[in-house]
Amino acid sequence: MKDQLEALKSEALASVQEASDLKTLQDLRVKYLGKKGPITEVLRGMGKLSPEERPVIGQLANDIRNAIQAAIEDKQRKLEEEAIQKRLASETIDVTLPGRVMPKANIHPLTAIVEEIEDLFIGMGFSVEEGPEVETDYYNFEALNLPKDHPARDMQDSFYITEDLLLRTQTSPVQARSMEKHRGQGPVKIICPGKVYRRDNDDATHSHQFMQIEGLYVDKNVRLSDLKGVLTVFAKKMFGEDRDIRFRPSFFPFTEPSVEMDISCFRCKGDGCSLCKHTGWIEILGSGMVHPNVLEMSGFDPKVYTGFAFGMGPERIAMLKYGIDDIRHYYTNDRRFLSQFKQV
Amino acid sequence: MKLSFKWLSEYVDLSGITPEELAERITKAGIEVEHITDLSRGIKNVVVGLVKTCEPHPDSDHLHLCQVDLGDEVVQIVCGAPNVAAGQKVAVAKVGAVLPGDFKIKKAKLRGQVSEGMICSLQELGVDGHLVPKEYADGIYVLDEEAVVGQDALPYMNLDDVILELDILPNSAHCMNMIGAAYEVAAILDRVIKLPAPSVKEIEQKASDKIAVQIDAKDGVPFYGARVIENVTIAPSPRWLQNRLIAVGIRPINNIVDITNYVLMEYGQPLHAFDYDRFGSDQVLVRRARDGEKITTLDDQERTLSAEDLVITNGERPMAIAGVMGGAESEVTNETKTVLLEAALFDGRSIRRTSSRLGLRTDASSRFEKGIDPNRVMEAADRAAQLMCELASGTVLQGIVQSGEAQVPPRAISMPWAKINAVLGTSLSKDTILSVFRRLRFQATIDGDALTVSVPSRRPDVAIPEDLVEEVGRMIGYDHIPATLPEGATEGKLTDYQKKHRMVERYMTGSGLYQAVTYSLTSEDKVGAVSLIEGEGFRPIKLSMPMSEERAVLRQSLLPELLDVVKYHLNRHMKDVALFEMGKVFLTKEEKLSQQPVETERLAGVLTGYFRPDDWHHDGLKVDFFAVKGLLEGLMALLGLSDRISFVPSTRKGLHPGRTADILLDDAVIGFLGQIHPVLQKTLELNDTYAFEVDLRTLLQSEVPALRYRSLPRFPAVTRDIALVVDQDVSAGELTEVIQKSGAPLLKEVRLFDVYTGERLESGKKSLAFSLTYLDPERTLTDEEVTKVHNQVLNELETQLGAVLRS
Ligand SMILES: [Zn+2]
């Protein structure tokens, strides 16, 4: 009987070893370890054995059963592992195939520039004001020290609707309106972005519609040196710390003194090239101390208050910053143009 | 304004300073030098030559063979100019010279004859053809007798000069003449200035015997002065004068005209020379023109005048348009013997109106517009008379016949001197401030706190204390003003509206729509192409003088221009377009605007083609009504308005009648979405295109309760699915509304998950399947409780809408 059991063991272990799939293994488990299996059979026939032999054979039968059991489990783990490997191999994909397109567009480059400038000035305590695009002659010109017949005011440059109403030629009227709202009490510290309109034929560098951002700071004791300080901070953050900045006197009817700010050329870094007309400098904005007439007309006492104002063109800034060569691109809205500004 | 470096150096010592350095200094002082032009243009090896002989070329009917003495050698040059002749001193480009345009002079053979060099015209030396005197316009240029053979020829033509071109702004009109520029440069460099002092040799006879002057328009003509110069000989001006005019961009004509132009450039005083004998009377009468009065100006154009123009008349007819241009009738000609010289002051605004109405801007008009120095009018007249005596051998009659007043006293400005430092943010000493005014040649004193400055009449731009601040600032240099940060602290932040505005932008781009910016001006036929949110009755706002029909009217909707952008893409084979724009529209019901129109901000979008493109293993997602609706529903959720928004069927101009919905906030229409009407699509050559437009202002200004967290449900929800069969005309919206109302409060969510019409249903019927979710936040619902409410929902659906469960 002992021999019988040993033979059974080697037969079973050999079969398990040969089993090549989980189904065969399951069949072997039933065949050898099931209720009708040979080991159960042996144990059932133990009655015929002598009392001395019984525990020996019983022990042996159990050992064999455990050995077969262990072998099957071991084999099962191996087969399962193989199956998983096989499945993973069959599931392998080409990860270099393109990903699914998720819709994702971007804001207009002009919006990006305007928001960047807004954020820089908000960080310096300015808030953002807006105003109407159809303006009265008074706010667009007169309140800005441009009375009728002023040489700097050319009828040919503006889109009039009636004698008194026109498309604003600058965002400066927002300054006058904001100052009026403050009723002579400072501080007024605002920037005003918006669309403006001038009678220009559209070409690579001119547009009858364009954007402007103006800034205004009116308070007691505002100095030209403050204008220089604030605009220097702005220029360095906007265009890079390594930029040189130059201030030079200029003329605007609504400021006195007036200041033009240049920054060292983007392309040649000041050595002179075609972009900067070989001067090494690029004009970036106009500014100055608010003209006393403007303060007075908007209800501020020029003896008590001073202020500075500045204005710049986002189209030009974006053109310089990104190297855009034609102002019309902004208004053509070609997707191949717009989609280049994903990062902004 | 073209500033000649050589001419300027007659008034101010420019030794030790290059034109480039001077340009930099002037620019930094506030008068931008736009261009620096070296008139020599790098030319070398052009010398004075004497044409010794000039014979016809044996094998040509127009070429000449010239033997030219160059000082150290005599060369043969073949010359094609018709005006070349023996005995002339000419500019010769020697072999090896390089002329403008990279034109290299080489030894050559022309029709068999050796030619060693070239006799030059002014044009060949880089002078603009418009500036070359007529007698040399089609040939070589002939130098003065005094030119020394063999020497560099450029100085004889003033081509060794450098021109600084100034950008003249309204506050720098004082630099529109050489003397004014000299004052400016002397102040900038802190150097001595020496000015011409005219001295006129007059004869006994009085000018007033020959002419009388009367002003009938005192408001426009503060002063009119006339001189009479007899026995003039009209001839070309001497070379030095011609050269200077050419250098500053004026073509020499004859001595008399050149002298008036020269003094214009020197003093900034426009002068006019009439031919006294052709003037037609012995009286100058200055008056306003009569409406419709006509004059033929020097350029041979007949001009029709209006009552606001000023004219110089002979008592009867206009002889000149004051301050703009003279008349042809009394023009100086080669036969002129007696000159009537005008030196006057005209009101700049009046001159500006006239010149802009006539479209006639001249050197004279632009100077009057910007303002001239009244104290130099008579001096300029003297200067011109002196030159006419010297250069045209005229005799000057005694005195200036005048009317009105030219002299004005200097303007005194007083201010606390400390204000200069307070405005500039500097700490300049009294002495430094006074030294600036000394350099400017303004009288200035400081007495205690008070600074008093006497500003000469040549500087009309300096009128108020702030102008003095600027003078000090620009003279010390803006580089020397410190950079400080404002002392007052303020809080800077975006308003709620501005924050939400940015959120909307980000949402739209995150959803795949590019932001567009289109023009506010559109055409009259486009402006009414689609319906307005507000409805009917709005009038297009037209420009009074549009530049084109295409940009003549202010937009009332963003859609027409956006549809053009779609078309732009289709034309370039880009069929998938998704764009949005945020911008203003302009609305009025007035026929003619009497006040500013309503400006309100809109959000609009256009979508066509694939919203998400086909890729290698998925079908793309085509734009349809529901894609756009979903986009807008997401937007409303972002703005916290989901519960207050509804979509109702609508018909609108320009949109598909069966595929359009109005968007309501509570009960008010705030926008719409839909497919562009197929007829309009066809007209515009579009594919199926969907569009929406909403009133952004209303959306962003709507008060939204502050966000509050709701606790998560602790008890399970129960979901029941139903499929309902209804008549075709019953809408999903109606069904949803009945379900929501009759299922409340336990019903928490209704979700439509299927719509079916087809042969498995009776015709005229459709089936909609909904998933209903019931929940009680306080406890677990029993099956019976749910069934009770659910049955109630089914009952209401059947009674109100005839909906039955699909079997
Ligand atoms: Zn450069």
Side-chain angles (χ1 to χ4, degrees), chain B residues 101-113:
Chain B
D102 205 23
F103 178 36
K104 295 189 180 77
I105 304 299
K106 293 174 188 150
K107 190 171 174 176
K109 258 191 176 179
L110 285 145
R111 305 241 177 128
Q113 297 292 336

Side-chain angles (χ1 to χ4, degrees), chain A residues 265-278 280 282:
Chain A
C265 180
F266 287 75
R267 194 189 290 161
C268 65
K269 312 267 180 237
D271 296 339
C273 69
S274 59
L275 183 67
C276 57
K277 294 187 206 150
H278 303 281
I282 299 230

Side-chain angles (χ1 to χ4, degrees), chain A residues 98 105 108 111 115 118 128 131 133-134 149 160 197 199 209 224-226 228 249 256 334-335 342, chain B residues 28 353 423 467 470 478 481 484 498 502 505-506 509 514-515 520 544-545 568-569 576 596 599 616:
Chain A
H108 195 281
T111 309
E115 290 183 0
E118 283 175 355
V128 182
E133 292 175 28
V134 175
D149 276 328
Y160 274 86
Y197 307 84
R199 293 181 73 84
Q209 172 182 323
L224 186 65
S225 58
D226 296 331
K228 224 179 136 173
E256 186 66 42
D334 190 315
R335 194 182 66 200
K342 285 263 175 0
Chain B
K28 280 197 155 184
R353 272 198 297 268
V423 173
D467 294 327
E470 174 161 52
Y478 283 9
I481 291 171
T484 55
Q498 290 160 347
R502 290 193 182 186
E505 276 167 8
R506 264 43 184 201
T509 57
Y514 283 98
Q515 187 183 28
S520 304
S544 65
M545 283 193 302
Y568 168 95
H569 284 89
D576 307 330
Q596 286 165 284
E599 291 185 22
W616 56 274

Side-chain angles (χ1 to χ4, degrees), chain A residues 171-220:
Chain A
T171 46
S172 326
V174 185
Q175 299 184 3
R177 287 179 178 276
S178 301
M179 275 194 277
E180 278 184 8
K181 269 193 260 170
H182 278 77
R183 299 180 170 277
Q185 293 296 309
V188 183
K189 203 170 181 184
I190 54 168
I191 54 163
C192 325
K195 291 171 184 152
V196 300
Y197 307 84
R198 290 192 196 164
R199 293 181 73 84
D200 269 324
N201 282 307
D202 296 339
D203 63 24
T205 53
H206 296 86
S207 180
H208 74 275
Q209 172 182 323
F210 56 99
M211 302 280 300
Q212 226 179 36
I213 300 185
E214 298 232 339
L216 173 74
Y217 177 33
V218 174
D219 203 350
K220 292 167 184 165

